[in-house]
Amino acid sequence: MNDVAHPADAETLRQALIAKLRELGAIRTEPVAAAFATVWRHEFVPEVPLEQVYEPENAQVTKRDQDGVALSSISAARIQALMLEQADIRPGMRVLEIGSGGLNAALIAEMVGHDGAVTSIDIDADVIDRAERLLQATGYRRVNVVLADGENGEPNHAPYDRIIVTAGAADLAPAWQNQLAEDGRLVVPLRVQGLTRSIGFEREGRHLIGRDYHTCGFVPMQGTGECRERLLVLHDGEGVQVGLRVDDDRQIDAQRLGAALREPASEAWSGMTLEKGMPYDDLDLWLATSLPTFALLATTRRARDSGLVASWSPMGVAAIIEGDSFAYLTYRATSPERTAFEFGALGHGPDGVKAADRLAEQMRVWNSDLRDIRAVFRAFPLGTPEDQFPEGKVVNRRNFRHVISWPH
Ligand SMILES: C[S@@+](CC[C@H](N)C(=O)[O-])C[C@H]1O[C@@H](n2cnc3c(N)ncnc32)[C@H](O)[C@@H]1O
């Protein structure tokens, strides 16, 4: 239980959080900073110690399913700030939040002011009850809290100047496009080939275009729009777990890939280097959009420590699957000081060499042509003639065809 009897402590922690979010580039403008300086985070997660509540990366899980998968949470402050910046919310706007918790809706309510309107919907009655109770208790009664499947948006309060989706989506819903004002903006954590990016979409003719995106992670969308990815288990024993996350329905023989994993690996090095600590999210996105058989190799730390794999990542490192073989991203220090790393791939199975070479080749392409280029996301409603598509990777989903391009 946090100690609300100490507002001075909370104020110190809150100011420190805002300073940290500015430093991280998550807060970039004064309206977002002002919202964070007004809403007390700890009032929305009373069960959590104060210090944790004001940590930038702390997402507080409020509900799990029977397998322990998080179904609902109060998002981390850094992600909330990033998405609010992407949304560019102004006083007087009408905003729809899909996925409630109370805290983010309060931040939005501060940004739109008394002339604006906030509607927050959730598919889970427990979440709605909690959000409603906390919003009432904290003085944000003006937020409309509605129990509904976000796939349908919320037609009663449409159109919206901004729609912010706060559950991981594999696709957009037609209702979001229909309920968005003509010059509106839709911010949504969209999963493409297993990688989730919070994308700020706007209208461009009859489709939507997103140029502004950030890496993020979210609890999965439930309801009509639910579309989970698959986890193919290659190895599971005594904490040593290795799996491949696959975001489409291609046929894969996990047993054979598991057998391949236990055979020695072949290496391919790209010559591409990065300084220690530099993010390479866009390299991952390039590999995901340029390699048709992309997947993510997810591992436990013990799998790496045992020597079975060279990379440790529960979310997964870039990989490709080629028949009974696969390869995944790895890197090695270029000097004993370990200040820079060369990227490459390890391949397993009869075509492991070919797979590793293919991965390394696309690393070289990114390094020579794309290091300074940002991807552009476009979402075309089904039925859009393909001659209107720009060059790029096409990901077909239930409602939209997504095209990810690298203009240069
Ligand atoms: C990360 S939480 C929302 C966090 C919240 N915006 C906050 O204040 O930080 C995601 C929520 O999305 C909800 N959700 C999942 N699928 C949904 C759907 N189809 N429609 C509406 N809500 C959904 C979950 O029940 C969960 O409460």
Side-chain angles (χ1 to χ4, degrees):
M1 184 77 176
N2 67 42
D3 189 352
V4 284
H6 291 92
D9 293 355
E11 183 56 30
T12 307
L13 291 167
R14 181 162 75 171
Q15 290 306 327
L17 172 66
I18 294 168
K20 187 75 195 164
L21 293 175
R22 285 188 196 272
E23 204 181 297
L24 292 169
I27 290 185
R28 300 192 305 266
T29 63
E30 290 319 304
V32 175
F36 272 79
T38 308
V39 175
W40 289 111
R41 294 186 77 75
H42 63 270
E43 293 183 345
F44 289 90
V45 267
E47 62 275 42
V48 180
L50 268 186
E51 290 72 22
Q52 275 178 37
V53 173
Y54 288 94
E55 278 294 317
E57 300 289 355
N58 182 59
Q60 194 54 48
V61 175
T62 50
K63 189 161 183 175
R64 292 185 187 274
D65 72 7
Q66 65 278 9
D67 301 322
V69 175
L71 290 181
S72 188
S73 64
I74 300 295
S75 300
R78 187 179 67 82
I79 298 297
Q80 288 175 328
L82 271 178
M83 293 178 84
L84 292 174
E85 290 287 5
Q86 283 186 295
D88 185 23
I89 296 166
R90 317 245 182 90
M93 281 187 166
R94 304 172 64 76
V95 181
L96 172 65
E97 179 193 46
I98 296 176
S100 305
L103 178 48
N104 198 48
L107 293 166
I108 298 169
E110 284 299 334
M111 294 182 74
V112 299
H114 283 273
D115 294 337
V118 186
T119 301
S120 180
I121 68 176
D122 203 286
I123 199 165
D124 186 323
D126 293 341
V127 176
I128 284 295
D129 287 349
R130 180 186 159 109
E132 205 157 29
R133 180 168 44 78
L134 292 168
L135 285 163
Q136 295 241 342
T138 49
Y140 293 98
R141 282 186 190 83
R142 62 184 192 274
V143 175
N144 304 309
V145 183
V146 182
L147 177 64
D149 185 340
E151 183 76 4
N152 307 317
E154 218 297 285
N156 297 328
H157 297 91
Y160 301 102
D161 300 300
R162 302 291 184 255
I163 299 177
I164 305 182
V165 181
T166 66
D171 196 3
L172 307 183
W176 304 345
Q177 186 177 18
N178 297 339
Q179 293 173 21
L180 194 64
E182 209 38 54
D183 55 354
R185 188 174 293 183
L186 164 69
V187 178
V188 51
L190 186 69
R191 197 182 77 227
V192 172
Q193 303 287 89
L195 303 174
T196 302
R197 302 289 182 263
S198 170
I199 306 170
F201 280 106
E202 293 178 337
R203 290 181 189 277
E204 185 183 64
R206 298 189 58 206
H207 62 268
L208 296 165
I209 181 165
R211 297 179 188 280
D212 174 31
Y213 60 92
H214 297 278
T215 299
C216 64
F218 264 93
V219 298
M221 185 70 74
Q222 304 168 51
T224 324
E226 178 167 329
C227 172
R228 305 268 182 107
E229 52 193 334
R230 289 183 289 161
L231 177 69
L232 308 171
V233 178
L234 304 197
H235 187 97
D236 186 6
E238 294 172 4
V240 177
Q241 291 167 329
V242 179
L244 280 162
R245 286 172 48 213
V246 178
D247 204 4
D248 52 40
D249 51 11
R250 74 193 112 127
Q251 289 280 321
I252 297 167
D253 188 334
Q255 248 183 346
R256 287 196 180 205
L257 294 177
L261 172 66
R262 285 176 276 279
E263 298 295 322
S266 47
E267 301 178 9
W269 294 99
S270 68
M272 182 213 120
T273 59
L274 279 182
E275 279 169 34
K276 185 181 179 178
M278 289 298 287
Y280 52 91
D281 307 45
D282 268 359
L283 168 65
D284 283 340
L285 192 59
W286 167 250
L287 297 173
T289 54
S290 64
L291 293 161
T293 60
F294 185 82
L296 288 157
L297 185 87
T299 64
T300 55
R301 187 179 195 148
R302 278 173 84 169
R304 198 264 321 262
D305 294 348
S306 72
L308 187 60
V309 286
S311 301
W312 165 46
S313 169
M315 294 305 293
V317 294
I320 53 173
I321 303 171
E322 309 267 309
D324 296 344
S325 308
F326 69 98
Y328 64 94
L329 177 151
T330 189
Y331 42 76
R332 62 183 177 188
T334 55
S335 70
E337 295 76 37
R338 302 182 67 80
T339 50
F341 294 83
E342 181 187 7
F343 281 58
L346 292 181
H348 288 271
D351 287 326
V353 179
K354 226 188 321 173
D357 280 344
R358 205 161 279 173
L359 206 47
E361 173 56 24
Q362 289 310 318
M363 292 173 185
R364 278 190 283 276
V365 172
W366 181 77
N367 192 40
S368 60
D369 302 346
L370 297 163
R371 257 177 111 127
D372 301 321
I373 307 271
R374 297 280 285 164
V376 177
F377 295 78
R378 287 185 180 81
F380 293 89
L382 292 189
T384 308
E386 282 195 15
D387 60 12
Q388 294 183 16
F389 289 8
E391 199 183 314
K393 165 78 179 173
V394 179
V395 176
N396 292 315
R397 295 295 200 189
R398 205 160 51 94
N399 304 318
F400 284 83
R401 302 186 71 189
H402 300 267
V403 184
I404 301 99
S405 321
W406 295 85
H408 61 289

